[in-house]
Amino acid sequence: MDVTEEAVRDICTDAVFERGERYLTESRIHEIHCIGTTVTAIVSGSRQYDVRVDLATDGFAPWCDCPYDGPGACKHVVAVLLRCADDPPPDEGDQLDAALNGADADELRAFLRDALATDADLRARFLARVGEPTRQSADELRASIDRRFKETNPEYHVVFEPIDFTQWFDLANEYREQGRYASAATVYRALVESLDDNMERVDGAYDHFSSAFSRALNGYVDCVATTERDADAVTDAVTFLEERVTSGTPFLAEHFEKAAVELREKLGEQSDE
């Protein structure tokens, strides 16, 4: 929870740090909230941008929906972190815990059911949390991610601004925490396929999309390699990755090839045992 100016400087360029300082002094930060170690805020720029940071994570795990695609964090994130260093927002976690502890169990269940009925993303994470395997195929998940690309700039084929893939990464992480690596691999594969198929549309925020692709591919490889030592799953994954080497986005081919080699080696290790 100790946010220092030095720590903020470590995650951005000098120029971005100065812009973040200016945004802070110009009172551009609105609706800042803290729950535990997670801080969310709205920062005004050319439009309103959503910012999220985790004060307990090295590098603060910054996220912002602005189009910045340079090195390090953006000025909106920097402004929020500097605000946390100078004037930390009060932790609302205790208030939330008190409300939950005092809530009637039946009312809480009814509220949760209504929320889950109307929010498909929250419902998927809830089912993952309570141990249900995913009922969605990689194709179904990929279709929902593809829609996000289309909705980002509906009038044009090109995508200029970052897309928030958090809901799918959070879903995959829920499955991993439950030890359901096959379900997590399904989510990661959907992300890999959609990002690969839509990368030609990207014309901005290149670092954002490249980082999301690498994170999804690494997660996929890790989960497949851990899937109950299932040789068939590894073989299927290797085939998928090798096909993407030639059919996918050319500049991502090397990444697919390296991932295939890693899983092929894993399959060989299993065969020797």
Side-chain angles (χ1 to χ4, degrees), residues 223-270:
C223 287
V224 169
T226 315
T227 306
E228 300 176 357
R229 310 189 64 77
D230 188 338
D232 290 338
V234 177
T235 300
D236 176 68
V238 169
T239 300
F240 159 67
L241 294 169
E242 290 177 338
E243 288 175 349
R244 285 279 165 168
V245 171
T246 55
S247 66
T249 306
F251 75 86
L252 296 178
E254 181 180 352
H255 298 280
F256 282 117
E257 189 169 9
K258 289 174 63 176
V261 169
E262 182 178 343
L263 281 181
R264 235 184 276 118
E265 291 175 350
K266 177 63 67 175
L267 184 61
E269 292 173 4
Q270 293 178 5

Side-chain angles (χ1 to χ4, degrees), residues 72-129:
C74 69
K75 58 190 175 185
H76 311 105
V77 164
V78 170
V80 171
L81 287 171
L82 291 176
R83 162 64 189 279
C84 291
D86 294 340
D87 182 20
D91 187 352
E92 301 169 38
D94 289 344
Q95 180 185 7
L96 181 61
D97 289 339
L100 288 171
N101 291 334
D104 177 79
D106 290 337
E107 290 182 358
L108 189 59
R109 183 184 296 274
F111 173 83
L112 180 59
R113 194 181 191 287
D114 289 343
L116 295 174
T118 57
D119 190 328
D121 300 327
L122 181 62
R123 184 167 63 250
R125 288 188 60 195
F126 173 78
L127 292 174
R129 174 62 65 90

